[in-house]
Amino acid sequence: MPPDTDAHAQEQAHTYAHARRDDQPEETRRVRLSRTFDEDAELYDRARPGYPPELYDDLVDLAGARPGRRVLEIGCGTGQATVPLAALGCRITAVEAGPRMAAVARRNLAEAEAEAEVGAEDEDEDEDGVGVGGGSAEVVTAEFENWPLPAEPFDVVLAATAFHWIDPAVRVSRAADALRPGGALAVVRGQHVRGGTEEFFVEVQRCYERFDPATQPGTRPPEADDVDNSDHAEEVARSGRFGETVFRRYAWDLTYTTAEYLDVLRTYSGHRALPDAARNGLLACVAGLIDGRYDGRVTKRYLIELAVSQRN
């Protein structure tokens, strides 16, 4: 599904001795917030970025996401990671709880496959075709927690900015159950970190403090080096089903126009959960700041993390 985060947290992470990661939703809100993405799957598909190319290189090297490998993707969203993985030649079963999101993912896969077939026709006969046609992907509309696992185990279980929306009581154990011995659990996480148009992300807190009562004053994005990922490693280790978790990190700057940035904000669960008047006021405040002080364009720095754990 990717990336998303709890609440106003995409624009803020609390002063960092007491920081909550962007992808640590409060358990009492987890299910309700997770359902907001399906409300406007087309916007999500248009506004949400994919992932840096280096991540896919490491999925091959560390997780073994090679041609012909069976991959179970948890929460594929509209296919931001599914399409590139299919292009690598993987055989993917993607489980997505939101019916609208799943429908858009199927459409994106079909369009990518059609483009790949056209491209293959232009290749010389002695060259392999590329694109989604090199692999296969099936999108199943279901909640991972309740989806019957197939008898044949998978080589890779991937969750791209979706693992935190799965019930923490079962997500690691069910991932292990779905894998063959030696198979890999690959979890991708995202965090807004310091960088890009830094002064904007300081100033914009006034908008959040005005319109979102949950905002803590003085919040700032953390330095990338200060982002802690030990929670995931410890959760996986507690299961006793996996070996040591290996991490890779990628800093990624993306520049948005005012309209593009507002579209991104509209996809965040916490923003969507605000009352209409508060959300509209917040978005207008953010837009006024970008247009008035930043010439209609801001750059946001993301920290994308890949965690790979081999099943015992």
Side-chain angles (χ1 to χ4, degrees), residues 268-281:
Y268 293 156
S269 59
H271 292 67
R272 297 190 66 85
L274 287 172
D276 289 347
R279 182 174 60 255
N280 292 338

Side-chain angles (χ1 to χ4, degrees), residues 161-172:
T161 50
F163 205 59
H164 56 290
W165 296 120
I166 307 302
D167 184 351
V170 301
R171 58 194 178 200
V172 174

Side-chain angles (χ1 to χ4, degrees), residues 128-148:
D128 293 333
V130 295
V132 174
S136 63
E138 173 193 17
V139 179
V140 178
T141 305
E143 295 180 348
F144 173 68
E145 294 93 329
N146 304 315
W147 179 64

